[in-house]
C-alpha cells in the first residue's frame, strides 16, 4: 500500500508545472555559468589565484577544464537549491490543505504516517532527480564544452591538484552528499508544511532558516563557532566540498583516492541524517494529531 | 435493518467553543439519513469526526459494528465521502483524479471501470479535461464519482447540493435516490435545506449548536398528530370573532403576515372546516403549513 501512495505522490509532483521550474532554472543557470567561463574563464581563475600567481606558474588553459567548471557551478548554485526544494517540499501538506484535497486524502484508508512518509519519499525522489539533472548539465555539459584535465581546487591559500583519473568518483560522492543535505532541507520544509494551511508560510520559513543559519555560520565569531556551527545543518550541507580536498604527502604530492578529512565528512553525513530523522519524527507526531479543518 | 453507524455522546471542543455537544444517533443499513442543521450547527465537524479528520474530545463512533478508533482502515475502505465542496486536483484530469482516489482506497480499477464511473455521473465526454476547466456542478459530480469508485457501503455527503444550479440539485437528488433505492447503499447526507432532505431522506436528525434537537423517520416528523393550519378567508373579522368565541380559541396561534393560524389535531380539521362554513365564514383555503419546516426554524432560530 505504501508503494501505491508513494507512486501517487510522485505522479502528483511530476504532473504539476511548478515542479519543472527548478529543472528549467538549474539548466539555465548552469548554461549561463558555462557560457561565462567559456568567454571569460581566464579572468575568473585569475580572481581566485591572484595571491598564488607570484609563487606558481599557473597554467590557466589546463585549469579551465570540464571538472573545474563543474566544481565552480556547484559552488555557485548548491547554496541556492534549498529554495527550489522548499518550493516543492514546503507545499506537500500545506498545498493540499490549501487546495482542499488534504481532507480527501486523510479520509481514505491510509494512515497519516504513511502519508507523511510517502510525501517525504516523493520529495526525496525530486531532490535526487534534480541533482541528477544538475550533474548531467554541470558535469557532462562542462566536460563536453571544456574537455577533461586534472582538477585544480583552491582552498584558502592552498591548491589541491587531483588527477584526471581520480576525479569522477569524487563528483558522484559529492552529488550523493548534496542529495543527503538537500533531503534534510526537504524534511524541514515538509515539517513546516504540516504546521500550515497555505504553501507560502512553509516555503518562506524554510528559506529563512537556511538564510539565518548561513549568516550565523559566515559571521565566524567564537560564540557561534563553538555552539551553533558544529550542529547547524548549513555547516554540514557544504560537506560535499570535502571530497575535493585531498591528502598530500610530506613532499606536497596529492594521494590518489584520498580525502583530507574523512572523519569530518562522516560526521557531517551523520548530523544531516540525524536532522532528517528529527524533522520526520516531528512531522509524523504533529500530523497524526492534527485536526484537518481545511 | 441493523445499525450501520452508531454515534454515542460525541463531543468536540475547539478551545472555548463546543462545536458538537454530546451527540448520539444511529443510521440503519440501506437508508438515506438526513443530517440537518443551520450553517455552523456542527454538521461538518461531526462528519469530519466520522472520517477521522478530527479527533473527538469525547464519545464513541462505531461503523459496520467496529469501533472507528481501532479499525479505521478497515472501516474507511467501505466508506465514500464528499466533504463540503469537492476540491479535487485541478491540474489533473477527471480520469486521473478517479484513478488516484481509487488507488488510495486500495482498489485497482481498470480504465474501463473508471470510464463507467465517469459515465454514471455524466462526465464521460470530459474524462480527459483538466478539472480546472470543470464547472462547479461537474466538480461535484466528479467528487461523487471519486467517492463511489471503490464501491463503498456507506456514503457520506456533506452539503452535496451547495453551489449547484437547480438542474445540478435535481441531478444530485436523483443520484442519491438511485444509490439508495437501486444499489442499496446507505447514505448520510447533511444539508441546511430541509426541503432537500424531505425529498430524499428516510430518517432525519436535526442539530442545533452541536446538540440533537430531534431525530426520527421523516414521515413521522412531517406528519405528527398536530398540524399548523393556515386559514385564508375574505372576511377575517367574522372568522376572528367566531374563533375567539368558540372552543377553537385555545388553538389559535399568533398571526403571521395577517393570516390566521391554528395548531389543530389533524383529525379535527374537517370538523373545524365544517363549523367555519356553518358560521358564515367564507373559507378560501385551509392549508396545513409545512410543520417540519416550522419546527426546524423554531428550534434553530437564534
Amino acid at each position: 500500500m505504501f508503494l501505491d501512495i508513494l507512486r501517487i505522490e510522485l505522479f502528483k509532483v511530476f504532473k504539476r508545472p511548478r515542479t519543472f521550474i527548478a529543472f528549467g532554472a538549474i539548466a539555465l543557470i548552469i548554461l549561463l555559468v558555462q557560457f561565462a567561463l567559456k568567454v571569460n574563464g581566464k579572468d575568473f581563475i585569475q580572481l581566485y589565484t591572484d595571491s598564488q600567481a607570484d609563487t606558481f606558474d599557473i597554467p590557466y588553459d589546463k585549469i579551465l577544464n570540464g571538472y573545474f567548471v563543474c566544481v565552480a557551478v556547484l559552488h555557485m548554485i548548491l547554496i541556492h537549491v534549498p529554495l527550489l526544494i522548499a518550493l516543492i517540499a514546503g507545499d506537500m501538506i500545506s498545498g493540499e490543505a490549501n487546495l482542499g484535497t488534504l481532507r480527501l486524502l486523510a479520509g481514505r484508508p491510509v494512515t497519516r504516517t504513511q502519508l507523511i512518509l510517502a510525501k517525504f519519499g516523493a520529495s526525496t525522489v525530486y531532490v535526487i532527480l534534480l541533482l541528477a539533472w544538475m550533474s548531467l548539465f554541470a558535469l557532462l555539459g562542462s566536460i563536453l564544452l571544456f574537455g577533461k584535465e586534472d582538477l585544480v581546487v583552491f582552498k584558502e591559500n592552498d591548491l589541491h591538484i587531483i588527477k584526471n583519473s581520480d576525479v569522477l568518483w569524487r563528483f558522484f560522492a559529492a552529488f550523493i552528499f548534496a542529495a543527503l543535505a538537500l533531503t534534510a532541507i526537504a524534511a524541514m520544509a515538509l515539517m513546516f508544511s504540516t504546521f500550515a494551511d497555505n504553501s507560502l508560510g512553509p516555503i518562506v520559513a524554510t528559506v529563512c532558516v537556511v538564510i539565518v543559519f548561513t549568516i550565523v555560520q559566515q559571521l565566524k565569531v567564537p560564540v557561534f563557532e563553538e555552539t551553533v556551527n558544529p550542529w547547524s545543518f548549513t555547516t554540514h550541507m557544504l560537506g560535499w566540498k570535502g571530497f575535493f580536498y585531498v591528502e598530500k604527502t610530506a613532499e606536497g604530492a596529492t594521494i590518489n583516492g584520498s580525502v583530507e578529512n574523512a572523519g569530518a565528512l562522516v560526521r557531517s553525513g551523520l548530523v544531516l541524517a540525524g536532522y532528517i530523522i528529527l524533522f520526520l519524527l516531528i512531522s509524523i507526531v504533529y500530523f497524526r494529531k492534527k485536526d484537518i479543518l481545511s | 435493518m441493523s445499525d450501520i453507524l452508531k454515534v454515542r455522546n460525541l463531543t468536540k471542543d475547539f478551545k472555548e467553543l463546543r462545536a458538537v455537544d454530546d451527540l448520539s444517533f444511529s443510521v440503519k443499513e440501506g437508508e438515506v439519513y438526513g443530517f440537518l442543521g443551520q450553517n455552523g450547527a456542527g454538521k461538518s465537524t461531526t462528519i469530519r469526526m466520522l472520517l477521522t479528520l478530527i479527533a473527538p474530545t469525547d464519545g464513541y463512533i462505531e461503523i459496520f459494528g467496529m469501533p472507528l478508533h481501532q479499525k479505521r482502515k478497515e472501516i474507511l475502505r467501505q466508506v465514500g465521502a464528499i466533504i463540503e465542496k469537492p476540491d479535487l486536483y485541478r491540474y489533473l484530469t477527471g480520469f486521473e483524479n478517479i484513478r488516484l482516489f481509487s488507488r488510495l482506497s486500495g482498489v485497482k480499477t481498470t480504465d474501463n471501470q473508471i470510464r463507467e464511473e465517469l459515465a454514471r455521473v455524466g462526465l464521460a465526454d470530459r474524462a480527459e479535461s483538466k478539472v480546472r476547466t470543470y464547472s462547479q456542478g461537474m466538480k461535484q459530480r466528479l467528487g461523487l464519482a471519486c467517492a463511489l469508485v471503490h464501491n463503498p457501503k456507506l456514503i457520506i455527503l456533506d452539503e452535496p447540493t451547495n453551489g449547484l444550479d437547480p438542474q445540478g440539485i435535481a441531478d444530485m437528488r436523483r443520484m442519491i435516490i438511485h444509490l439508495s433505492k437501486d444499489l442499496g447503499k446507505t447514505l448520510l447526507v447533511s444539508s441546511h435545506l430541509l426541503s432537500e432532505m424531505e425529498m430524499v431522506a428516510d430518517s432525519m436528525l436535526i442539530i442545533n449548536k452541536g446538540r440533537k434537537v430531534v431525530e426520527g423517520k421523516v414521515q413521522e416528523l412531517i406528519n405528527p398528530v398536530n398540524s399548523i393550519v393556515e386559514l385564508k378567508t375574505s372576511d377575517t373579522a367574522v372568522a376572528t370573532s367566531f374563533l375567539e368565541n368558540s372552543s377553537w380559541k385555545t388553538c389559535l396561534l399568533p398571526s403571521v403576515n395577517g393570516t390566521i393560524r391554528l395548531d389543530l389535531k389533524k383529525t379535527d380539521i374537517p370538523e373545524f372546516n365544517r363549523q367555519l362554513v356553518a358560521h358564515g365564514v367564507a373559507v378560501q383555503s385551509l392549508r396545513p403549513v409545512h410543520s417540519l419546516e416550522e419546527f426546524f426554524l423554531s428550534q434553530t432560530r437564534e
Side-chain angles (χ1 to χ4, degrees), chain B residues 63-272:
Chain B
I63 304 178
F64 310 123
M66 297 181 276
L68 182 61
H69 66 284
Q70 284 176 0
K71 300 282 181 186
R72 178 184 175 277
K73 278 176 91 169
E74 288 91 326
I75 289 169
L76 291 183
R77 258 188 217 116
Q78 302 174 70
V79 176
I82 298 181
I83 310 142
E84 294 175 10
K85 59 185 187 339
D87 292 303
L88 298 151
Y89 294 100
R90 293 161 46 85
Y91 52 90
L92 300 181
T93 65
F95 185 93
E96 288 166 340
N97 267 285
I98 295 186
R99 190 172 55 191
L100 186 152
F101 283 108
S102 74
R103 290 196 177 157
L104 272 174
S105 301
V107 177
K108 292 262 192 303
T109 38
T110 62
D111 288 1
N112 278 343
Q113 284 171 313
I114 294 173
R115 289 188 196 288
E116 278 170 23
E117 206 60 59
L118 280 161
R120 177 154 67 165
V121 294
L123 290 172
D125 55 337
R126 295 297 301 274
E128 303 304 331
S129 304
K130 295 262 195 274
V131 170
R132 74 164 69 93
T133 66
Y134 283 21
S135 68
Q136 182 61 29
M138 290 163 77
K139 284 182 196 164
Q140 201 81 7
R141 281 184 276 150
L142 181 63
L144 190 60
C146 289
L148 299 177
V149 68
H150 56 296
N151 195 23
K153 284 184 189 167
L154 172 64
I155 300 161
I156 297 173
L157 305 176
D158 187 11
E159 305 269 6
T161 54
N162 258 10
L164 296 184
D165 59 19
Q167 183 60 51
I169 292 172
D171 289 345
M172 183 60 75
R173 194 187 305 139
R174 267 195 294 276
M175 181 60 82
I176 290 170
I177 292 168
H178 165 69
L179 289 168
S180 168
K181 306 299 176 231
D182 301 337
L183 303 181
K185 306 284 184 194
T186 308
L187 288 103
L188 173 78
V189 186
S190 84
S191 178
H192 61 278
L193 299 172
L194 179 68
S195 52
E196 273 303 311
M197 286 298 95
E198 277 186 70
M199 282 188 253
V200 296
D202 302 306
S203 301
M204 201 183 290
L205 165 71
I206 299 175
I207 66 167
N208 188 38
K209 293 178 181 170
R211 291 189 74 89
K212 182 197 283 191
V213 175
V214 68
E215 182 187 18
K217 291 277 176 198
V218 171
Q219 286 310 310
E220 289 166 8
L221 293 172
I222 289 175
N223 295 314
V225 177
N226 279 25
S227 184
I228 295 167
V229 174
E230 189 178 272
L231 168 65
K232 274 194 181 170
T233 170
S234 55
D235 199 347
T236 310
V238 174
T240 307
S241 167
F242 161 68
L243 290 171
E244 285 183 346
N245 295 302
S246 69
S247 58
W248 302 108
K249 185 181 177 182
T250 54
C251 303
L252 268 173
L253 293 172
S255 166
V256 175
N257 298 330
T259 60
I260 298 169
R261 288 184 163 210
L262 298 99
D263 186 358
L264 296 176
K265 281 189 179 168
K266 287 197 164 183
T267 50
D268 288 345
I269 294 175
E271 174 60 18
F272 175 65

Side-chain angles (χ1 to χ4, degrees), chain B residues 259-301:
Chain B
T259 60
I260 298 169
R261 288 184 163 210
L262 298 99
D263 186 358
L264 296 176
K265 281 189 179 168
K266 287 197 164 183
T267 50
D268 288 345
I269 294 175
E271 174 60 18
F272 175 65
N273 187 36
R274 197 188 60 74
Q275 286 191 24
L276 284 173
V277 175
H279 285 83
V281 177
V283 177
Q284 288 176 325
S285 72
L286 194 57
R287 188 175 64 89
V289 174
H290 219 302
S291 56
L292 187 56
E293 188 89 43
E294 286 287 307
F295 180 74
F296 176 60
L297 290 173
S298 70
Q299 294 297 314
T300 58
R301 195 178 282 137

Side-chain angles (χ1 to χ4, degrees), chain A residues 159-181:
Chain A
L159 283 178
H160 289 246
I161 300 167
I162 305 168
K163 290 266 181 256
N164 187 342
S165 58
D166 189 34
V167 174
L168 213 52
W169 75 268
R170 295 175 191 276
F171 276 108
F172 286 116
F175 278 116
I176 290 169
F177 194 94
L180 184 69

Side-chain angles (χ1 to χ4, degrees), chain B residues 3-10 20 22-28 31 33-35 42-43 46-47 49-50 60-62 156 188-189 204-207 210 212 214-216:
Chain B
D3 287 339
I4 211 165
L5 166 66
K6 276 186 202 169
V7 171
R8 294 286 172 265
N9 309 108
L10 196 65
V20 177
D22 199 30
L23 190 64
S24 298
F25 62 93
S26 303
V27 178
K28 295 209 178 299
E31 74 175 347
Y33 190 87
F35 190 29
K43 303 185 298 291
T46 304
I47 285 176
M49 285 191 276
L50 297 180
Y60 175 78
I61 299 168
E62 187 181 287
I156 297 173
L188 173 78
V189 186
M204 201 183 290
L205 165 71
I206 299 175
I207 66 167
K212 182 197 283 191
V214 68
E215 182 187 18

Side-chain angles (χ1 to χ4, degrees), chain A residues 85-123:
Chain A
I85 302 296
L87 274 177
I88 299 301
D91 187 57
M92 278 283 178
I93 298 287
S94 57
E96 298 259 13
N98 195 27
L99 263 179
T101 48
L102 187 59
R103 59 178 186 258
L104 297 180
L105 276 186
R108 298 277 159 167
V110 295
T111 66
R112 294 198 186 183
T113 305
Q114 281 177 324
L115 272 182
I116 288 285
L117 291 177
K119 285 185 177 293
F120 172 70
S123 305

